[in-house]
């Protein structure tokens, strides 16, 4: 566990600047890798929300509250992010954990959306096709075409027509992979 995360709540109990702790929680959240670290940071965020009642006047606190609530949901989304995309199954598990700990209302719209997302997309544990990101096969096709272009250029033959073939081949392969994953989820 990252040392700054493990002793964060202890340091917060000793007092300090609200904004500094806020910035630190946000920065440490990008470094967290385990559920335990994420939970500690979310607990620290909840403590910070409680402290903000005494740190700010009522008008400022009321303006700050929706921002803090949105930030909390963003932290949950970041925890559920894998390969740049929010994993709906992971988000459902995270929001369930947050409901169980009392940090999230079970009737919260975000929780309902997380459950609906998992139900709609389905469990992905059975998906066995290799990952398919937009552009993977496009990249391979363009790389192959580029190598051919330079190779054919050495024999004085204009190979520009291969770029189009590379684009089409990359697109076709990418679509094939995406349909494999789609078909696996449907069954």
């Amino acid at each position: 566990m990252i040392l700054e995360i493990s002793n964060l709540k202890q340091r917060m109990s000793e007092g300090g600047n609200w904004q500094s702790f806020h910035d630190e929680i946000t920065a440490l959240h990008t470094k967290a890798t385990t559920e335990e670290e994420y939970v500690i940071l979310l607990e620290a965020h909840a403590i910070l929300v409680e402290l903000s009642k005494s740190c700010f006047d009522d008008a400022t606190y009321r303006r700050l509250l929706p921002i803090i609530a949105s930030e909390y949901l963003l932290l949950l989304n970041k925890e559920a992010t894998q390969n740049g995309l929010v994993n709906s199954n992971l988000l459902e598990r995270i929001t369930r954990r947050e409901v169980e700990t009392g940090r999230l209302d079970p009737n919260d719209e975000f929780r309902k959306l997380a459950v609906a997302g998992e139900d709609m997309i389905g469990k992905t544990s059975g998906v066995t096709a290799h990952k398919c990101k937009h552009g993977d096969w496009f990249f391979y096709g363009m790389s192959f075409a580029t190598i051919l272009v330079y190779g054919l250029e050495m024999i004085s033959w204009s190979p520009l027509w291969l770029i189009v073939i590379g684009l089409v081949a990359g697109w076709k392969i990418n679509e094939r992979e995406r349909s494999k994953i789609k078909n696996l989820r449907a069954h």
Side-chain angles (χ1 to χ4, degrees), residues 39-183:
V39 168
I40 290 171
L41 291 169
L42 291 168
E43 289 171 349
H45 187 267
I47 292 168
L48 208 58
V49 171
E50 285 300 312
L51 287 174
S52 63
K53 292 177 185 175
S54 60
C55 292
F56 302 103
D57 60 73
D58 277 345
T60 304
Y61 176 71
R62 276 187 258 120
R63 284 194 317 265
L64 192 59
L65 202 54
I67 296 168
I68 293 173
S70 296
E71 184 176 56
Y72 168 70
L73 299 179
L74 177 65
L75 293 175
L76 297 181
N77 273 328
K78 283 184 176 180
E79 183 180 349
T81 300
Q82 293 179 326
N83 298 323
L85 300 172
V86 174
N87 180 324
S88 61
N89 296 323
L90 186 55
L91 183 61
E92 190 282 325
R93 284 194 298 268
I94 291 168
T95 57
R96 183 177 348 116
R97 176 196 71 208
E98 292 300 297
V99 166
E100 290 169 358
T101 60
R103 287 187 294 266
L104 185 64
D105 185 339
N107 296 317
D108 187 277
E109 190 66 24
F110 189 75
R111 170 67 181 149
K112 291 177 184 176
L113 289 172
V115 171
E118 183 189 44
D119 291 342
M120 192 158 143
I121 294 174
K123 306 270 188 260
T124 57
S125 59
V127 175
T128 57
H130 43 281
K131 69 179 180 182
C132 177
K133 296 183 295 186
H134 297 292
D136 277 356
W137 291 102
F138 172 79
F139 170 77
Y140 299 140
M142 286 303 295
S143 297
F144 178 72
T146 303
I147 292 168
L148 277 177
V149 165
Y150 285 117
L152 292 175
E153 191 174 286
M154 295 179 132
I155 59 172
S156 300
W157 188 26
S158 178
L160 291 177
W161 56 272
L162 287 175
I163 293 174
V164 175
I165 292 174
L167 286 169
V168 171
W171 176 76
K172 284 283 196 191
I173 294 170
N174 203 18
E175 286 302 311
R176 183 190 69 195
E177 292 297 313
R178 211 172 307 148
S179 69
K180 277 184 189 176
I181 292 172
K182 194 178 203 178
N183 290 337

